[in-house]
């Protein structure tokens, strides 16, 4: 459609940084050129696959990745957005996903084709053909004749467009089946929530395209809305977050997204003098999602980059998950984020009650649902009234079809179409407050405690802890291994210390005493164990979030120096 309507207008730009001091190398495709590249992929897929087969995308982020994804859709092949073996530390996850989705081919590029073949061989996986998409011949289209598609048949709305594998932060990765209708619905919902006028919008993103938010915001929404998308590699962001900040200011109506930790990362890793060089007046929306939104993070980012013209209204907390394609709720784009100071005792008891106490727990509203329904339920599925915490459930046209190769389960199995998210929250004045993950909640002496709140207390009390590089979780108490005394769990915190820190045994004792006092005063909890570990030690998912489940498993296995090992 867009290749006919606006063939030469900018559709996709990738900005590469080949050297540390590179200002960025821009490569751009118009809509007609992007369409031609996608068709080239589709025609080749027709020679090695059949409609309904899977094609795994294992190439670097960039123009070829987007063309490969769209080419799968043109060929009616189920795309599986992944990453290549060059992403260190995630070999096991990549191998597990490839074994699960059973791809008919692997889409790579010239530079990664051989490493992909070596990886498949080394993991003992089946060896489907590896296609270097950058070597495929591209037909030069005529102004009104892009040429036929293979089979020349459009997919049905309920056909699977792609498998979105979960990040693995709480369980073994599972492939959510996203239909064409699901992704188009969620793209429209995202546009409605975040983009006032598609004619003057540009998305700028570094999030991985194999991540649900990166894929929808950087590919699906721009294709549905007909506005340009600008991409950079996640590694380029981690090397120097100021690259992202400069790109944000380079386009009209910029919309971007990042998890909470990334905004703190920008503040910590960016020279304050840079704010004088930036111009962020054209930034319209900065989505903060994928993990709990911390009010302090919003304040720090605004304080650091407000002098560059960043409007406080641009901050947009949101909530979503892969099982719902991605987006569910979003705060208003016409006002700064809404906060609610909550009584901590009521919160632990499962209620939202406003408080004027300086020690109140501050929650950031993730806004109202967009094009879908949200309700809060108890363990039996009954709806809870506003102001009461329970499991977040949702229903809408963006909810996926289920998990690949798995029977209907508690997540997707509701006969009325309600999706169980596994997240806890409450509705307050029609807006969603997210309090945590159901599986992450610590229950001590009959009271609920949310790990992200404890983690914030620890990193605030201990400046030597790397921000958002720590995990709080519960383990059975040594005297209650079978869970019979009802006392609940013992609190463990594993935290990375700052780079260059050389901690003596005395430093560690002092740190534990400080944390023990802070956690007791703030949460009424007794700290069981504090482990300070080197940078890069706390497990993270492929999308960059700390994995509490993996941290707990490693702790119990004695995988951290100083950890207890099996009890």
């Amino acid at each position: 459609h867009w290749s006919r309507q606006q063939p030469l207008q900018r559709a996709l730009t990738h900005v590469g940084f080949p050297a540390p001091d590179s200002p960025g190398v821009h490569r751009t495709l118009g809509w007609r050129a992007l369409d031609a590249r996608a068709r080239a992929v589709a025609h080749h897929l027709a020679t090695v696959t059949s409609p309904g087969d899977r094609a795994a995308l294992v190439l670097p982020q960039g123009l070829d990745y987007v063309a490969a994804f769209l080419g799968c859709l043109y060929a009616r092949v189920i795309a599986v957005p992944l990453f290549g073996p060059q992403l260190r530390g995630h070999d096991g996850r990549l191998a597990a996903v490839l074994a699960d989705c059973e791809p008919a081919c692997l889409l790579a590029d010239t530079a990664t084709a051989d490493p992909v073949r070596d990886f498949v061989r080394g993991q003992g996986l089946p060896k489907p053909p590896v296609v270097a998409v950058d070597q495929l011949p591209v037909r030069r289209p005529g102004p009104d004749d892009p040429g036929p598609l293979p089979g020349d048949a459009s997919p049905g709305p309920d056909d699977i467009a792609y498998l979105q594998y979960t990040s693995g932060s709480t369980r073994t990765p599972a492939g959510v089946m996203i239909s064409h209708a699901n992704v188009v619905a969620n793209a429209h919902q995202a546009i409605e929530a975040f983009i006032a006028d598609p004619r003057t919008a540009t998305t700028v993103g570094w999030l991985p395209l194999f991540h649900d938010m990166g894929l929808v915001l950087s590919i699906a929404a721009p294709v549905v809305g007909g506005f340009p998308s600008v991409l950079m590699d996640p590694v380029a962001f981690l090397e120097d977050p100021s690259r992202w900040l400069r790109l944000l200011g380079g386009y009209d109506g910029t919309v971007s997204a990042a998890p909470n930790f990334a905004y703190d990362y920008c503040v910590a890793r960016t020279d304050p003098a840079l704010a004088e060089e930036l111009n962020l007046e054209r930034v319209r929306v900065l989505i903060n999602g994928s993990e709990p939104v911390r009010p302090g993070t919003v304040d720090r980012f605004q304080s650091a980059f407000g002098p560059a013209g960043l409007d406080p209204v641009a901050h947009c907390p949101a909530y979503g998950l892969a099982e719902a394609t991605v987006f569910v709720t979003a705060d208003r784009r016409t006002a700064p984020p809404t906060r609610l100071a909550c009584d901590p005792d009521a919160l632990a008891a499962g209620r939202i009650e406003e408080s004027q106490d300086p020690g109140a727990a501050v929650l950031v509203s993730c806004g109202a649902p967009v094009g879908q329904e949200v309700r809060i339920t108890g363990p039996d599925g009954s709806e809870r009234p506003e102001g009461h915490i329970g499991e977040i459930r949702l229903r809408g046209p963006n909810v996926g079809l289920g998990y690949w190769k798995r029977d209907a389960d508690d997540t997707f199995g509701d006969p009325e179409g309600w999706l169980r998210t596994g997240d806890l929250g409450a509705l307050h004045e029609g807006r969603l407050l997210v309090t945590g993950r159901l599986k992450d909640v610590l229950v001590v002496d009959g009271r609920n405690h949310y790990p992200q709140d404890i983690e914030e207390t620890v990193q605030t009390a201990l400046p030597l802890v790397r921000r958002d590089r720590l995990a709080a979780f519960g383990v059975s108490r040594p005297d209650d291994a079978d869970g019979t005394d009802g006392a609940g769990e013992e609190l463990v915190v594993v935290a990375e210390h700052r780079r260059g820190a050389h901690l003596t045994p005395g430093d560690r004792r002092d740190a534990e005493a400080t944390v023990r006092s802070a956690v007791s005063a703030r949460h009424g909890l007794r700290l069981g164990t504090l482990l300070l570990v080197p940078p890069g030690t706390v497990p993270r998912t492929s999308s960059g979030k700390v994995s509490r489940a993996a941290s707990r498993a490693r702790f119990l296995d004695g995988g951290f120096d100083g950890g207890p090992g099996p009890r």
Side-chain angles (χ1 to χ4, degrees):
H1 173 80
W2 299 118
S3 69
R4 289 188 176 97
Q5 296 292 318
Q6 46 190 36
L8 302 181
Q9 288 192 26
R10 178 167 51 90
L12 181 66
T13 298
H14 178 258
V15 185
F17 298 90
D21 58 350
S22 171
V25 178
H26 292 62
R27 296 175 59 220
T28 296
L29 293 175
W31 287 103
R32 181 184 293 168
L34 178 58
D35 176 63
R37 286 204 182 194
R39 287 170 182 268
V41 173
H43 282 287
H44 186 82
L45 285 174
T47 68
V48 295
T49 66
S50 300
D53 284 346
R54 277 74 59 209
L57 282 68
V58 288
L59 65 166
Q61 187 137 312
L63 305 181
D64 293 321
Y65 199 109
V66 178
F69 178 79
L70 297 175
C72 290
L73 306 191
Y74 272 162
R76 293 187 294 150
V77 168
I78 299 172
V80 186
L82 289 172
F83 47 87
Q86 72 275 5
L87 185 62
R88 296 178 181 176
H90 298 283
D91 290 4
R93 178 174 186 269
L94 178 59
V97 172
L98 291 176
D100 186 65
C101 71
E102 300 177 294
C105 72
L106 304 173
L107 300 180
D109 63 7
T110 301
T112 58
D114 284 340
V116 165
R117 293 186 185 97
D118 292 341
F119 176 82
V120 169
R121 186 183 307 112
Q123 294 289 330
L125 296 167
K127 292 178 280 188
V130 177
V131 179
V133 297
D134 56 332
Q135 294 182 358
L136 299 177
V138 179
R139 177 181 181 272
R140 187 177 182 86
D144 299 311
D145 179 25
L149 289 170
D152 208 23
S154 298
D158 293 329
D159 289 348
I160 302 171
Y162 60 96
L163 301 181
Q164 180 65 67
Y165 275 84
T166 58
S167 64
S169 59
T170 57
R171 61 173 179 268
T172 302
V176 183
M177 298 182 288
I178 303 295
S179 71
H180 287 267
N182 292 153
V183 67
V184 170
N186 206 228
H188 281 298
Q189 291 163 346
I191 292 168
E192 179 183 346
F194 305 119
I195 297 172
D197 184 357
R199 295 170 298 180
T200 59
T202 301
T203 61
V204 175
W206 58 265
L207 290 176
L209 295 178
F210 58 81
H211 184 268
D212 48 11
M213 188 186 297
L215 189 148
V216 171
L217 195 66
S218 291
I219 301 181
V223 167
V224 168
F227 49 85
S229 173
V230 178
L231 296 171
M232 61 179 285
D233 193 273
V235 173
F237 167 78
L238 294 173
E239 289 174 345
D240 184 357
S242 71
R243 294 166 170 170
W244 179 52
L245 297 171
R246 293 182 191 278
L247 286 179
L248 289 177
Y251 302 91
D252 286 327
T254 298
V255 177
S256 193
N260 190 87
F261 83 83
Y263 293 100
D264 271 324
Y265 188 74
C266 285
V267 175
R269 293 291 300 272
T270 303
D271 188 335
L274 178 65
E276 300 177 5
E277 304 175 23
L278 295 172
N279 183 353
L280 301 179
E281 293 179 355
R282 295 192 284 180
V283 176
R284 293 293 170 264
V285 174
L286 290 177
I287 302 164
N288 188 332
S290 179
E291 57 187 14
V293 180
R294 302 188 193 276
T297 299
V298 176
D299 293 341
R300 286 186 289 270
F301 193 87
Q302 184 61 35
S303 176
F305 303 110
L310 180 65
D311 191 334
V313 170
H315 296 278
C316 189
Y319 167 75
L321 66 164
E323 287 79 357
T325 306
V326 61
F327 293 111
V328 176
T329 68
D331 202 16
R332 296 165 294 181
R333 59 171 182 261
T334 56
T338 305
R339 309 174 188 208
L340 188 70
C342 302
D343 180 274
D345 291 331
L347 202 63
R351 302 187 311 277
I352 299 293
E353 295 181 4
E354 293 191 58
S355 171
Q356 303 300 320
D357 193 303
V362 180
L363 299 179
V364 178
S365 167
C366 289
V370 182
Q372 51 201 292
E373 302 171 84
V374 170
R375 71 180 184 183
I376 307 299
T377 69
D380 61 354
S382 60
E383 188 168 5
R384 288 188 169 174
E386 185 164 289
H388 287 253
I389 297 171
E391 184 178 8
I392 302 167
R393 301 198 188 197
L394 60 101
R395 180 169 64 183
N398 53 302
V399 173
L401 303 178
Y403 292 121
W404 177 251
K405 294 199 306 188
R406 300 191 186 188
D407 295 332
D409 59 5
D410 288 345
T411 302
F412 289 98
D414 185 86
E416 297 182 2
W418 288 97
L419 174 75
R420 294 193 62 175
T421 67
D423 292 320
L424 291 173
L427 291 172
H428 178 77
E429 297 180 353
R431 299 184 175 275
L432 182 65
L433 300 171
V434 180
T435 57
R437 287 285 303 172
L438 187 61
K439 293 182 179 179
D440 285 343
V441 171
L442 288 84
V443 182
V444 180
D445 298 326
R447 293 165 59 85
N448 291 343
H449 299 273
Y450 301 99
Q452 68 270 18
D453 296 336
I454 297 167
E455 290 158 5
E456 178 65 18
T457 297
V458 172
Q459 64 190 10
T460 299
L462 278 186
L464 63 84
V465 167
R466 297 182 74 200
R467 180 159 287 278
D468 294 325
R469 291 293 180 267
L470 69 167
F473 49 87
V475 298
S476 297
R477 290 174 172 170
D479 56 351
D480 186 33
D482 58 0
T484 55
D485 74 359
E489 299 174 298
E490 178 179 276
L491 173 63
V492 175
V493 178
V494 178
E496 295 182 7
H497 60 66
R498 294 192 179 277
R499 296 186 186 280
H502 301 286
L503 304 182
T504 66
D507 293 333
R508 295 179 183 275
R509 285 194 297 272
D510 291 345
E512 183 163 334
T514 298
V515 170
R516 192 178 300 279
S517 175
V519 169
S520 175
R522 185 76 174 81
H523 305 281
L525 274 175
R526 179 184 179 278
L527 175 71
T529 302
L530 171 70
L531 283 183
L532 295 174
V533 297
T537 304
V538 175
R540 286 187 284 167
T541 70
S542 57
S543 58
K545 296 182 289 185
V546 164
S547 174
R548 298 187 185 100
S551 298
R552 182 179 186 276
R554 184 177 295 181
F555 174 81
L556 293 175
D557 288 342
F560 295 110
D561 288 342
R567 296 188 171 192

